[in-house]
Amino acid sequence: DAKTTQPTSMDCAEGRAANLPCNHSTISGNEYVYWYRQIHSQGPQYIIHGLKNNETNEMASLIITEDRKSSTLILPHATLRDTAVYYCIVRGQGGSEKLVFGKGTKLTVNP
Amino acid sequence: DTAVSQTPKYLVTQMGNDKSIKCEQNLGHDTMYWYKQDSKKFLKIMFSYNNKELIINETVPNRFSPKSPDKAHLNLHINSLELGDSAVYFCASSQVRGTGELFFGEGSRLTVL
């Protein structure tokens, strides 16, 4: 079962920042927070991941609370192409660790 | 070049038939996966192979048999297809000592009539 809780859906205006929250209160010390997204009918796409520090890449920023029990994915300037289901996943980094997808958050970016 | 490629993209078949889906990755990764996404859009892991060795085997009917001829290929063979097997099957790959990022293929939509 997924170890994370996310809102079912969110809306965002084009050009504005999209902030997607995720709760992972049972995360253990060696588990990372991963974010993926799935645009309609496509394969899931990796966005970003982190352990405890905030992370930023060309796609998004990841803010992890100090207690690591929750995190927020930030898309700084959402576009229509960012409309997708966003999955927050907690996972260790070993080869036998499973990437377990929950229900995710359906983000709709509106013009 | 597509990093993780699956064939066929669409497959329509009758109940009781046997079918295969092929997956190839050109990323040099050592681990490959099969995921199933059902009509409710839940993505569930089925199998994972590391260097041709099975390392994850979820509770999947034994009608499903993965085969990894080499670390760049992971095929999925399904015997005696049932209506409930209708789904989109995604192949993915990763490097076990890398960032843990999985690269997914575009999916193979299987429809069993």
Side-chain angles (χ1 to χ4, degrees):
Chain A
D1 288 342
K3 300 179 183 180
T4 62
T5 305
Q6 300 177 252
T8 303
S9 62
M10 294 183 66
D11 283 89
C12 177
E14 188 178 17
R16 306 297 285 264
N19 297 289
L20 292 91
C22 179
N23 286 322
H24 32 78
S25 57
T26 61
I27 191 170
S28 61
N30 64 347
E31 288 181 319
Y32 288 70
V33 179
Y34 285 80
W35 283 84
Y36 281 74
R37 72 180 182 184
Q38 187 174 25
I39 296 170
H40 180 63
S41 297
Q42 297 182 19
Q45 176 190 24
Y46 166 84
I47 301 173
I48 199 168
H49 78 284
L51 183 62
K52 51 185 176 181
N53 296 325
N54 297 338
E55 302 288 343
T56 296
N57 63 19
E58 65 278 3
M59 289 181 70
S61 295
L62 173 60
I63 308 297
I64 303 174
T65 58
E66 193 168 340
D67 63 9
R68 303 213 319 127
K69 292 185 177 182
S70 65
S71 61
T72 301
L73 179 75
I74 302 172
L75 307 178
H77 306 287
T79 70
L80 298 179
R81 288 178 295 181
D82 291 323
T83 292
V85 178
Y86 287 77
Y87 298 96
C88 169
I89 301 166
V90 164
R91 176 185 187 253
Q93 279 208 328
S96 61
E97 296 288 336
K98 296 180 285 188
L99 199 69
V100 178
F101 287 82
K103 298 179 182 179
T105 296
K106 174 63 191 285
L107 175 69
T108 302
V109 181
N110 300 304
Chain B
D1 264 354
T2 304
V4 181
S5 58
Q6 303 178 221
T7 54
K9 191 169 182 179
Y10 298 97
L11 187 54
V12 181
T13 188
Q14 299 287 332
M15 278 175 52
N17 285 350
D18 303 338
K19 291 294 178 185
S20 293
I21 306 171
K22 296 185 177 182
C23 179
E24 176 182 4
Q25 55 95 3
N26 62 6
L27 298 167
H29 288 163
D30 56 12
T31 305
M32 296 185 72
Y33 310 79
W34 277 110
Y35 279 79
K36 177 182 179 181
Q37 187 166 40
D38 60 24
S39 57
K40 295 182 179 178
K41 303 297 184 184
F42 292 123
L43 264 166
K44 293 183 180 178
I45 189 167
M46 300 172 70
F47 303 102
S48 174
Y49 272 75
N50 175 257
N51 282 320
K52 303 193 297 176
E53 181 181 344
L54 183 66
I55 56 171
I56 295 175
N57 185 356
E58 292 295 287
T59 306
V60 175
N62 57 15
R63 298 182 295 103
F64 290 77
S65 52
K67 284 188 172 53
S68 182
D70 55 61
K71 69 176 187 178
H73 295 83
L74 180 61
N75 303 323
L76 183 65
H77 187 76
I78 315 171
N79 290 326
S80 304
L81 279 157
E82 300 177 356
L83 294 176
D85 298 332
S86 295
V88 181
Y89 292 85
F90 288 99
C91 178
S93 73
S94 71
Q95 187 65 21
V96 71
R97 295 193 187 281
T99 62
E101 175 186 352
L102 267 64
F103 290 79
F104 284 82
E106 288 302 306
S108 297
R109 180 176 293 276
L110 172 65
T111 302
V112 182
L113 304 175

